[in-house]
C-alpha cells in the first residue's frame, strides 16, 4: 500500500515505460525474467496500453484503468508470480472467468497464451 500512495503522490511519470523497466530491473531471479518477458509480450500484443506502476508492480492501463498487471512471487512471499487482469479487461465469459494466472516458467506456449489473453483484455 505504501508504494501505491507514493505512486499517487508522484503523479504521471515522464517516461512510464522507463519507470516500469527500472522497477523490473530491481526484481531478482525468476521474478525478473518473468516480468521482462511479460512486459515484452504485453507491449507487443497491445501497444495501445500504457505501462505504469501499480502497487509497486508493472501494470498496463487503458485510459488510466489497469487492464493487466504482474505480481512478483518474491515481493508477496508467494509460491509463484501472477499475471492478473483488472476490471477494465475484456475477459468476460458468462457468469464466471479467471482474472489471474500463476506463472512459474516461460515457454513458447505460455508466451502465446499471455499474448492472446492480453489482446482479448485490451479490446
Amino acid at each position: 500500500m505504501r508504494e501505491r500512495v507514493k505512486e499517487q503522490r508522484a503523479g504521471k511519470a515522464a517516461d512510464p515505460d522507463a519507470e516500469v523497466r527500472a522497477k523490473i530491473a530491481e526484481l531478482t531471479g525468476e521474478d525478473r525474467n518473468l516480468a521482462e518477458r511479460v512486459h515484452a509480450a504485453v507491449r507487443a500484443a497491445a501497444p495501445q496500453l500504457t505501462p505504469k506502476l501499480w502497487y509497486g508492480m508493472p501494470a498496463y492501463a487503458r485510459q488510466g484503468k489497469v487492464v493487466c498487471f504482474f505480481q512478483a512471487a518474491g515481493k508477496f512471499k508467494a509460491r509463484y508470480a501472477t499475471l492478473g487482469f483488472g476490471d477494465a479487461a475484456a475477459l468476460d465469459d458468462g457468469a464466471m472467468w479467471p482474472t489471474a494466472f500463476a506463472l512459474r516458467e516461460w515457454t513458447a506456449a505460455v508466451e502465446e497464451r499471455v499474448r492472446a489473453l492480453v489482446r482479448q483484455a485490451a479490446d
Side-chain angles (χ1 to χ4, degrees), residues 46-63:
Q48 72 274 27
L49 297 181
T50 304
K52 67 185 275 179
L53 292 180
W54 191 56
Y55 294 96
M57 289 282 103
Y60 307 87
R62 178 180 52 237
Q63 298 175 349

Side-chain angles (χ1 to χ4, degrees), residues 32-105:
R32 182 188 315 184
N33 179 49
L34 290 170
E36 287 171 345
R37 291 173 178 266
V38 165
H39 182 74
V42 171
R43 300 301 286 147
Q48 72 274 27
L49 297 181
T50 304
K52 67 185 275 179
L53 292 180
W54 191 56
Y55 294 96
M57 289 282 103
Y60 307 87
R62 178 180 52 237
Q63 298 175 349
K65 295 185 185 241
V66 171
V67 172
C68 59
F69 57 90
F70 175 82
Q71 289 181 329
K75 178 173 176 132
F76 297 97
K77 297 179 176 90
R79 194 176 93 191
Y80 46 80
T82 306
L83 173 65
F85 294 87
D87 290 348
L91 293 177
D92 302 34
D93 184 22
M96 184 174 136
W97 59 89
T99 60
F101 296 83
L103 289 172
R104 293 192 55 173
E105 66 179 297

Side-chain angles (χ1 to χ4, degrees), residues 14-25:
D15 183 358
D17 192 67
E19 187 177 57
V20 166
R21 287 182 179 278
K23 185 57 84 170
I24 290 171

